[in-house]
Amino acid sequence: MAEQARDKNESRLTERGRATRERILRVAADMMLVKGVSSTTLDEIRAASGTSKSQLYRHYPDKDALVRDVVALQAAEVLERHHQLLRRLNSFRGLERWRDAVIERNALRNGAYGCPLGSLASELADQDEEARRVIAAHFGTWEGLLEAGLTRMKDSGVLRADADAAVLATGLMAALQGGYLLAQTTLDVTPMRIALDMAIDHVRTYAAPADDGVPPHGGSTGR
């Protein structure tokens, strides 16, 4: 019901109102990533977004409403990014390209601030049951992108038939999130690369036997 009401209110906004709402949301997402949800106040968001109190509270009557939209925004952007990286995944080379893209993006800030969605999860999961469920669903979608790629690797004969795509996807996701945390605490993406390399090496243990001298990770270079 709350989501339907929010969608209805959104449809009534003028172009200027939508721009104001978007500005508030973007500022809030950036500040909450850097400072954390609990340390970010509505007054700080109002000042940084250049909006009045009446404008802020017209769009977001309380902080919880704003946090919900920040979660939705971060999840949408993370999932879209990984969808682009994983939508054609069907080879080990594609898995390596995904790894490289994730690490290169995280290296832009030397690992600072961690995963945008994971950071929200670590702060909200034990405090807000609704937020925990929503974030868990987003992580399920994210893991599903990996599982779908691994399933394609099975279907194309890159992985053996006994490879459990769901289990392997969970392992890759755990390595990714652990890598984000280690990179964040050390300000160095090296631990992230090690974690993902080890997870991918485990996936390789399920590689189908090579045919005619072609290595199991050969073939298509699907992303």
Side-chain angles (χ1 to χ4, degrees):
M1 292 296 292
E3 184 176 344
Q4 291 176 347
R6 193 159 60 248
D7 290 342
K8 187 176 182 180
N9 290 335
E10 180 74 21
S11 67
R12 293 175 177 173
L13 290 176
T14 63
E15 183 176 343
R16 184 175 179 180
R18 281 191 292 272
T20 299
R21 185 185 183 95
E22 175 73 9
R23 186 170 70 253
I24 293 169
L25 180 57
R26 290 283 175 182
V27 167
D30 289 344
M31 293 185 73
M32 289 178 185
L33 177 63
V34 173
K35 297 184 61 177
V37 174
S38 62
S39 297
T40 301
T41 68
L42 289 179
D43 281 342
E44 289 172 329
I45 293 168
R46 179 189 58 76
S49 62
T51 54
S52 66
K53 278 192 174 183
S54 62
Q55 285 177 312
L56 176 63
Y57 288 108
R58 183 181 306 125
H59 294 290
Y60 293 105
D62 55 48
K63 187 175 177 180
D64 287 345
L66 182 52
V67 170
R68 284 194 293 271
D69 276 6
V70 167
V71 170
L73 174 66
Q74 296 287 32
E77 294 190 342
V78 167
L79 291 174
E80 174 58 23
R81 195 157 55 243
H82 284 264
H83 171 71
Q84 293 302 319
L85 293 170
L86 295 167
R87 61 196 175 111
R88 293 198 300 269
L89 173 66
N90 65 356
S91 69
F92 281 107
R93 182 64 188 127
L95 205 52
E96 291 165 354
R97 287 177 174 172
W98 166 76
R99 173 205 62 198
D100 291 345
V102 169
I103 291 171
E104 286 169 11
R105 182 179 180 86
N106 202 30
L108 294 175
R109 292 187 292 203
N110 295 321
Y113 313 124
C115 170
L117 194 56
S119 295
L120 288 168
S122 66
E123 189 168 0
L124 296 173
D126 294 331
Q127 308 297 326
D128 186 330
E129 177 60 19
E130 180 184 354
R132 185 200 64 76
R133 288 197 302 267
V134 169
I135 293 171
H138 290 315
F139 269 107
T141 300
W142 193 351
E143 198 170 308
L145 296 174
L146 285 163
E147 182 180 350
L150 293 167
T151 298
R152 286 191 292 273
M153 290 171 71
K154 283 180 63 175
D155 293 344
S156 62
V158 175
L159 293 176
R160 300 196 313 262
D162 63 332
D164 189 324
V167 170
L168 293 175
T170 298
L172 287 167
M173 179 60 71
L176 175 62
Q177 291 303 315
Y180 269 121
L181 179 60
L182 291 174
Q184 181 181 7
T185 54
T186 61
L187 292 181
D188 182 357
V189 297
T190 301
M192 184 183 208
R193 179 174 291 278
I194 292 170
L196 288 172
D197 282 347
M198 291 183 71
I200 292 173
D201 283 346
H202 178 66
V203 177
R204 286 187 188 281
T205 66
Y206 289 92
D211 293 326
D212 300 326
V214 177
H217 55 285
S220 171
T221 57
R223 296 175 64 185

